[in-house]
Amino acid sequence: MERPAWAPRSIDISVPSVSRIYDFYLGGSHNFEVDREAARRAMEFMPGLPKIMQANRAFMRRAVRFAAAEGITQFLDIGSGIPTFGTVHEVARAARPGARVVYVDHDPVAVAHGQAVLEGDPETAVVAADLRKPQEILDGPEVRGLLDLDRPVALLLVAVLHFVEDADDPVAAVRELSDALAPGSMLVLTHASYEGIPLPPEQAGRVVDVYKDIRNPLIMRSREEIARFFEGYEMVEPGLVPMPDWRPDTAPEDEDPFAYSGFAGVGRAA
Ligand SMILES: C[S@@+](CC[C@H](N)C(=O)[O-])C[C@H]1O[C@@H](n2cnc3c(N)ncnc32)[C@H](O)[C@@H]1O
Protein backbone atom coordinates (compact mmCIF):
# COMPACT_ATOMS: atom_id res chain seq x y z
CA MET A 1 0.00 0.00 0.00
CA GLU A 2 1.38 3.43 -0.91
CA ARG A 3 2.04 5.72 2.04
CA PRO A 4 0.88 9.32 1.52
CA ALA A 5 2.98 12.23 2.80
CA TRP A 6 0.60 12.90 5.73
CA ALA A 7 1.04 9.37 7.16
CA PRO A 8 4.12 9.26 9.45
CA ARG A 9 6.44 6.25 9.02
CA SER A 10 5.80 5.21 12.61
CA ILE A 11 2.18 4.22 12.00
CA ASP A 12 0.90 0.82 10.92
CA ILE A 13 -1.45 1.70 8.07
CA SER A 14 -3.00 -1.77 8.09
CA VAL A 15 -4.65 -1.06 11.47
CA PRO A 16 -7.75 1.23 11.58
CA SER A 17 -7.61 4.36 13.75
CA VAL A 18 -10.41 6.25 15.50
CA SER A 19 -9.30 9.62 14.13
CA ARG A 20 -9.16 8.39 10.51
CA ILE A 21 -12.54 6.61 10.83
CA TYR A 22 -13.99 9.88 12.13
CA ASP A 23 -12.37 11.74 9.23
CA PHE A 24 -14.12 9.34 6.85
CA TYR A 25 -17.54 9.87 8.50
CA LEU A 26 -17.06 13.61 8.03
CA GLY A 27 -16.17 13.24 4.35
CA GLY A 28 -12.42 13.85 4.80
CA SER A 29 -9.61 12.36 2.73
CA HIS A 30 -7.15 11.36 5.48
CA ASN A 31 -8.15 7.72 5.81
CA PHE A 32 -7.20 4.32 4.42
CA GLU A 33 -9.24 1.35 3.17
CA VAL A 34 -8.94 -0.34 6.63
CA ASP A 35 -10.54 2.73 8.21
CA ARG A 36 -13.31 2.93 5.60
CA GLU A 37 -14.00 -0.76 5.99
CA ALA A 38 -14.42 -0.42 9.80
CA ALA A 39 -16.60 2.70 9.30
CA ARG A 40 -18.82 0.91 6.76
CA ARG A 41 -19.20 -2.06 9.11
CA ALA A 42 -20.30 0.27 11.93
CA MET A 43 -22.68 2.06 9.55
CA GLU A 44 -24.36 -1.22 8.63
CA PHE A 45 -25.69 -1.27 12.19
CA MET A 46 -26.08 2.48 12.62
CA PRO A 47 -26.54 4.23 9.27
CA GLY A 48 -26.90 7.61 11.00
CA LEU A 49 -23.30 7.70 12.31
CA PRO A 50 -22.21 10.56 10.00
CA LYS A 51 -25.21 12.59 11.21
CA ILE A 52 -24.03 12.13 14.81
CA MET A 53 -20.54 13.33 13.85
CA GLN A 54 -21.95 16.36 12.01
CA ALA A 55 -24.11 17.26 15.02
CA ASN A 56 -21.02 16.90 17.21
CA ARG A 57 -18.96 19.30 15.06
CA ALA A 58 -21.86 21.76 14.84
CA PHE A 59 -22.19 21.75 18.65
CA MET A 60 -18.44 22.28 19.02
CA ARG A 61 -18.54 25.32 16.76
CA ARG A 62 -21.51 26.83 18.66
CA ALA A 63 -19.80 26.19 22.00
CA VAL A 64 -16.51 27.80 20.85
CA ARG A 65 -18.45 30.81 19.55
CA PHE A 66 -20.24 31.01 22.92
CA ALA A 67 -16.98 30.80 24.90
CA ALA A 68 -15.39 33.47 22.69
CA ALA A 69 -18.43 35.72 23.12
CA GLU A 70 -18.05 35.29 26.89
CA GLY A 71 -14.52 36.66 26.61
CA ILE A 72 -12.44 33.47 26.40
CA THR A 73 -9.39 33.80 24.16
CA GLN A 74 -7.52 30.58 25.06
CA PHE A 75 -8.53 27.06 24.06
CA LEU A 76 -7.12 23.65 24.98
CA ASP A 77 -8.64 21.06 22.62
CA ILE A 78 -7.78 17.51 23.70
CA GLY A 79 -8.65 14.67 21.29
CA SER A 80 -8.77 17.32 18.59
CA GLY A 81 -8.64 14.87 15.65
CA ILE A 82 -7.58 15.40 12.05
CA PRO A 83 -8.15 19.05 11.06
CA THR A 84 -11.38 19.46 9.14
CA PHE A 85 -13.77 22.24 8.13
CA GLY A 86 -14.47 24.76 10.93
CA THR A 87 -11.59 24.09 13.31
CA VAL A 88 -11.45 25.63 16.78
CA HIS A 89 -8.94 28.36 15.90
CA GLU A 90 -10.93 29.44 12.83
CA VAL A 91 -14.18 29.71 14.81
CA ALA A 92 -12.49 31.34 17.82
CA ARG A 93 -10.58 33.88 15.74
CA ALA A 94 -13.68 34.95 13.85
CA ALA A 95 -14.91 36.33 17.20
CA ARG A 96 -11.57 36.97 18.94
CA PRO A 97 -8.66 37.74 16.63
CA GLY A 98 -5.47 36.57 18.33
CA ALA A 99 -7.19 33.67 20.13
CA ARG A 100 -4.70 30.97 21.08
CA VAL A 101 -5.34 27.27 20.64
CA VAL A 102 -3.37 24.21 21.72
CA TYR A 103 -4.51 21.04 19.98
CA VAL A 104 -3.70 17.69 21.59
CA ASP A 105 -4.18 14.20 20.17
CA HIS A 106 -2.45 10.86 20.62
CA ASP A 107 -2.97 9.83 17.01
CA PRO A 108 0.15 10.39 14.86
CA VAL A 109 -1.83 11.24 11.70
CA ALA A 110 -3.93 13.84 13.53
CA VAL A 111 -0.78 15.41 14.98
CA ALA A 112 1.30 15.31 11.77
CA HIS A 113 -1.50 16.71 9.63
CA GLY A 114 -2.35 19.37 12.22
CA GLN A 115 1.29 20.46 12.42
CA ALA A 116 1.52 20.65 8.62
CA VAL A 117 -1.67 22.75 8.34
CA LEU A 118 -0.68 25.11 11.17
CA GLU A 119 3.03 25.46 10.45
CA GLY A 120 4.18 29.04 10.98
CA ASP A 121 1.10 30.02 12.98
CA PRO A 122 2.49 31.42 16.26
CA GLU A 123 -0.88 31.35 18.04
CA THR A 124 -1.55 27.63 17.68
CA ALA A 125 0.33 24.45 18.57
CA VAL A 126 -0.36 20.78 17.92
CA VAL A 127 0.90 18.36 20.54
CA ALA A 128 1.19 14.57 20.62
CA ALA A 129 -0.01 13.62 24.11
CA ASP A 130 -2.50 11.43 25.92
CA LEU A 131 -5.56 12.58 27.81
CA ARG A 132 -4.85 9.79 30.31
CA LYS A 133 -1.68 11.68 31.34
CA PRO A 134 -3.05 15.18 32.05
CA GLN A 135 0.02 16.45 33.89
CA GLU A 136 2.19 15.85 30.83
CA ILE A 137 -0.20 17.99 28.78
CA LEU A 138 -0.24 20.77 31.40
CA ASP A 139 3.54 20.77 31.86
CA GLY A 140 4.32 20.59 28.14
CA PRO A 141 6.16 23.51 26.53
CA GLU A 142 3.24 24.24 24.17
CA VAL A 143 0.67 24.74 26.95
CA ARG A 144 3.19 26.61 29.12
CA GLY A 145 4.33 28.76 26.21
CA LEU A 146 1.02 29.57 24.56
CA LEU A 147 -1.60 29.55 27.32
CA ASP A 148 -1.70 31.70 30.44
CA LEU A 149 -3.29 29.37 32.99
CA ASP A 150 -3.93 32.30 35.34
CA ARG A 151 -6.60 33.46 32.89
CA PRO A 152 -9.70 31.52 31.74
CA VAL A 153 -9.27 28.72 29.23
CA ALA A 154 -11.93 26.72 27.39
CA LEU A 155 -11.06 23.05 27.82
CA LEU A 156 -12.54 21.06 24.95
CA LEU A 157 -13.08 17.33 25.43
CA VAL A 158 -15.31 16.77 22.43
CA ALA A 159 -16.07 13.16 21.43
CA VAL A 160 -12.97 11.86 23.19
CA LEU A 161 -13.91 10.78 26.73
CA HIS A 162 -15.89 7.84 25.35
CA PHE A 163 -12.56 6.39 24.23
CA VAL A 164 -11.20 6.39 27.80
CA GLU A 165 -12.08 3.30 29.80
CA ASP A 166 -13.15 3.42 33.46
CA ALA A 167 -9.93 1.57 34.37
CA ASP A 168 -8.04 4.71 33.26
CA ASP A 169 -10.24 6.91 35.48
CA PRO A 170 -11.39 9.60 33.03
CA VAL A 171 -13.20 11.50 35.82
CA ALA A 172 -9.87 11.95 37.65
CA ALA A 173 -8.16 13.03 34.42
CA VAL A 174 -10.79 15.73 33.82
CA ARG A 175 -10.52 16.85 37.47
CA GLU A 176 -6.72 17.12 37.19
CA LEU A 177 -7.01 19.28 34.09
CA SER A 178 -9.81 21.37 35.61
CA ASP A 179 -7.86 21.96 38.83
CA ALA A 180 -5.12 23.67 36.80
CA LEU A 181 -7.53 26.17 35.21
CA ALA A 182 -8.44 29.67 36.43
CA PRO A 183 -11.95 30.65 37.59
CA GLY A 184 -14.15 31.52 34.61
CA SER A 185 -12.67 28.67 32.56
CA MET A 186 -15.09 26.46 30.66
CA LEU A 187 -15.42 22.73 30.03
CA VAL A 188 -16.93 21.89 26.63
CA LEU A 189 -17.81 18.23 26.28
CA THR A 190 -19.70 15.70 24.18
CA HIS A 191 -20.02 12.00 24.96
CA ALA A 192 -21.58 8.94 23.32
CA SER A 193 -24.49 7.23 25.08
CA TYR A 194 -27.13 4.63 24.32
CA GLU A 195 -29.61 7.28 25.45
CA GLY A 196 -31.18 9.05 22.51
CA ILE A 197 -30.07 6.63 19.77
CA PRO A 198 -33.15 5.91 17.64
CA LEU A 199 -32.38 2.16 17.55
CA PRO A 200 -32.77 -0.82 19.91
CA PRO A 201 -29.72 -0.94 22.26
CA GLU A 202 -28.76 -4.42 20.92
CA GLN A 203 -28.35 -2.96 17.43
CA ALA A 204 -26.41 0.07 18.67
CA GLY A 205 -24.29 -2.38 20.68
CA ARG A 206 -23.04 -3.90 17.41
CA VAL A 207 -21.28 -0.60 16.70
CA VAL A 208 -19.55 -0.86 20.06
CA ASP A 209 -18.43 -4.37 18.95
CA VAL A 210 -16.82 -2.92 15.81
CA TYR A 211 -14.70 -0.55 17.93
CA LYS A 212 -13.84 -3.42 20.28
CA ASP A 213 -12.64 -5.44 17.26
CA ILE A 214 -10.28 -2.67 16.23
CA ARG A 215 -8.94 -2.41 19.82
CA ASN A 216 -10.22 1.13 20.35
CA PRO A 217 -13.06 0.47 22.77
CA LEU A 218 -16.00 2.89 22.63
CA ILE A 219 -17.53 3.32 26.09
CA MET A 220 -21.18 4.32 26.12
CA ARG A 221 -22.09 6.16 29.35
CA SER A 222 -25.42 7.21 30.82
CA ARG A 223 -26.36 10.88 31.17
CA GLU A 224 -25.79 10.53 34.91
CA GLU A 225 -22.27 9.18 34.39
CA ILE A 226 -21.44 11.91 31.89
CA ALA A 227 -22.68 14.60 34.32
CA ARG A 228 -19.89 13.56 36.75
CA PHE A 229 -17.27 15.06 34.42
CA PHE A 230 -18.74 18.48 35.28
CA GLU A 231 -18.06 18.20 39.01
CA GLY A 232 -16.94 21.64 40.22
CA TYR A 233 -18.49 23.42 37.22
CA GLU A 234 -21.74 25.37 37.00
CA MET A 235 -23.70 24.21 33.98
CA VAL A 236 -24.35 26.83 31.32
CA GLU A 237 -27.98 26.83 30.13
CA PRO A 238 -29.56 24.57 28.85
CA GLY A 239 -27.34 22.06 30.74
CA LEU A 240 -26.32 18.58 29.60
CA VAL A 241 -28.61 17.89 26.65
CA PRO A 242 -28.72 16.11 23.25
CA MET A 243 -26.34 17.93 20.89
CA PRO A 244 -28.95 19.70 18.69
CA ASP A 245 -30.67 21.09 21.81
CA TRP A 246 -27.62 23.04 22.99
CA ARG A 247 -28.27 26.67 21.93
CA PRO A 248 -29.31 25.68 18.38
CA ASP A 249 -28.88 27.95 15.34
CA THR A 250 -31.49 26.10 13.31
CA ALA A 251 -35.06 24.96 13.90
CA PRO A 252 -35.19 21.51 15.58
CA GLU A 253 -37.40 20.06 12.82
CA ASP A 254 -34.38 20.26 10.49
CA GLU A 255 -32.42 17.74 12.59
CA ASP A 256 -31.91 14.08 11.76
CA PRO A 257 -33.13 11.75 14.59
CA PHE A 258 -29.59 10.29 14.91
CA ALA A 259 -28.26 13.73 15.89
CA TYR A 260 -30.00 13.23 19.27
CA SER A 261 -27.64 10.36 20.21
CA GLY A 262 -25.42 11.16 23.19
CA PHE A 263 -24.99 14.37 25.19
CA ALA A 264 -23.33 17.77 25.04
CA GLY A 265 -22.74 20.41 27.66
CA VAL A 266 -20.70 23.42 28.72
CA GLY A 267 -19.74 24.17 32.31
CA ARG A 268 -18.19 27.29 33.83
CA ALA A 269 -15.62 27.01 36.62
CA ALA A 270 -16.56 29.15 39.63
C1 LIG B 1 -14.05 11.21 17.37
S1 LIG B 1 -12.55 12.12 17.28
C2 LIG B 1 -13.07 13.73 17.83
C3 LIG B 1 -12.32 14.86 17.17
C4 LIG B 1 -12.79 16.26 17.60
N1 LIG B 1 -12.65 16.47 19.02
C5 LIG B 1 -14.23 16.48 17.21
O1 LIG B 1 -15.09 16.32 18.06
O2 LIG B 1 -14.50 16.76 16.05
C6 LIG B 1 -11.71 11.52 18.73
C7 LIG B 1 -10.23 11.90 18.77
O3 LIG B 1 -9.74 11.63 20.09
C8 LIG B 1 -8.45 11.08 19.98
N2 LIG B 1 -8.17 10.33 21.21
C9 LIG B 1 -8.75 9.18 21.65
N3 LIG B 1 -8.25 8.83 22.84
C10 LIG B 1 -7.32 9.77 23.17
C11 LIG B 1 -6.44 9.95 24.29
N4 LIG B 1 -6.41 9.06 25.29
N5 LIG B 1 -5.62 11.02 24.31
C12 LIG B 1 -5.63 11.92 23.27
N6 LIG B 1 -6.43 11.80 22.18
C13 LIG B 1 -7.26 10.74 22.13
C14 LIG B 1 -8.50 10.23 18.73
O4 LIG B 1 -7.20 9.99 18.20
C15 LIG B 1 -9.36 11.08 17.81
O5 LIG B 1 -8.60 11.94 17.02
Side-chain angles (χ1 to χ4, degrees), residues 18-19 22 26 56-57 60 77-82 104-107 110 129-132 158-160 162-164:
V18 157
S19 69
Y22 182 70
L26 286 173
N56 178 67
R57 291 293 299 181
M60 189 207 75
D77 182 5
I78 305 180
S80 48
I82 295 170
V104 178
D105 207 289
H106 72 168
D107 180 276
D130 198 309
L131 170 56
R132 292 168 295 186
V158 181
V160 61
H162 48 230
F163 295 115
V164 182

Side-chain angles (χ1 to χ4, degrees), residues 93 98-102 118-125 142 145-147:
R93 279 179 193 170
R100 292 168 174 232
V101 183
V102 177
L118 294 168
E119 203 186 338
D121 183 333
E123 280 149 354
T124 60
E142 297 83 2
L146 217 51
L147 306 182

Side-chain angles (χ1 to χ4, degrees), residues 6-267:
W6 47 262
R9 296 231 147 261
S10 57
I11 66 164
D12 180 351
I13 58 178
S14 64
V15 178
S17 103
V18 157
S19 69
R20 298 192 316 254
I21 292 174
Y22 182 70
D23 177 72
F24 174 70
Y25 290 139
L26 286 173
S29 54
H30 294 83
N31 48 71
F32 297 112
E33 189 48 36
V34 278
D35 307 309
R36 297 190 282 274
E37 204 262 326
R40 285 189 207 109
R41 238 177 334 127
M43 282 166 67
E44 268 173 41
F45 305 116
M46 206 190 284
L49 275 169
K51 296 288 177 200
I52 301 177
M53 310 309 167
Q54 285 158 17
N56 178 67
R57 291 293 299 181
F59 159 76
M60 189 207 75
R61 289 192 289 268
R62 295 197 302 279
V64 169
R65 247 189 280 133
F66 171 81
E70 294 285 298
I72 293 198
T73 58
Q74 317 188 89
F75 296 80
L76 176 57
D77 182 5
I78 305 180
S80 48
I82 295 170
T84 179
F85 163 74
T87 50
V88 173
H89 68 280
E90 287 165 348
V91 178
R93 279 179 193 170
R96 298 255 160 210
R100 292 168 174 232
V101 183
V102 177
Y103 292 105
V104 178
D105 207 289
H106 72 168
D107 180 276
V109 169
V111 173
H113 186 47
Q115 286 173 341
V117 169
L118 294 168
E119 203 186 338
D121 183 333
E123 280 149 354
T124 60
V126 185
V127 184
D130 198 309
L131 170 56
R132 292 168 295 186
K133 295 180 182 159
Q135 209 54 50
E136 284 181 19
I137 298 176
L138 294 167
D139 292 342
E142 297 83 2
V143 167
R144 291 281 154 199
L146 217 51
L147 306 182
D148 173 1
L149 298 186
D150 292 330
R151 290 194 305 116
V153 170
L155 169 63
L156 272 63
L157 296 171
V158 181
V160 61
L161 282 163
H162 48 230
F163 295 115
V164 182
E165 297 177 86
D166 287 345
D168 290 318
D169 205 347
V171 172
V174 175
R175 193 179 310 125
E176 207 169 323
L177 289 163
S178 303
D179 284 349
L181 303 182
S185 292
M186 290 186 186
L187 172 62
V188 174
L189 181 155
T190 63
H191 199 296
S193 177
Y194 284 118
E195 292 174 44
I197 298 180
L199 291 175
E202 317 78 73
Q203 193 175 334
R206 305 290 295 276
V207 172
V208 172
D209 293 341
V210 171
Y211 281 87
K212 204 185 290 161
D213 288 350
I214 65 163
R215 297 200 162 60
N216 265 301
L218 167 64
I219 294 91
M220 299 296 221
R221 294 193 170 96
S222 67
R223 184 179 181 284
E224 200 183 321
E225 288 169 317
I226 299 166
R228 278 188 212 133
F229 292 118
F230 286 99
E231 220 178 77
Y233 288 89
E234 244 171 57
M235 293 310 288
V236 166
E237 283 297 318
L240 186 59
V241 292
M243 295 178 288
D245 293 343
W246 199 89
R247 297 176 180 251
D249 292 331
T250 51
E253 61 265 27
D254 295 343
E255 285 294 349
D256 186 280
F258 276 98
Y260 291 85
S261 313
F263 292 98
V266 175

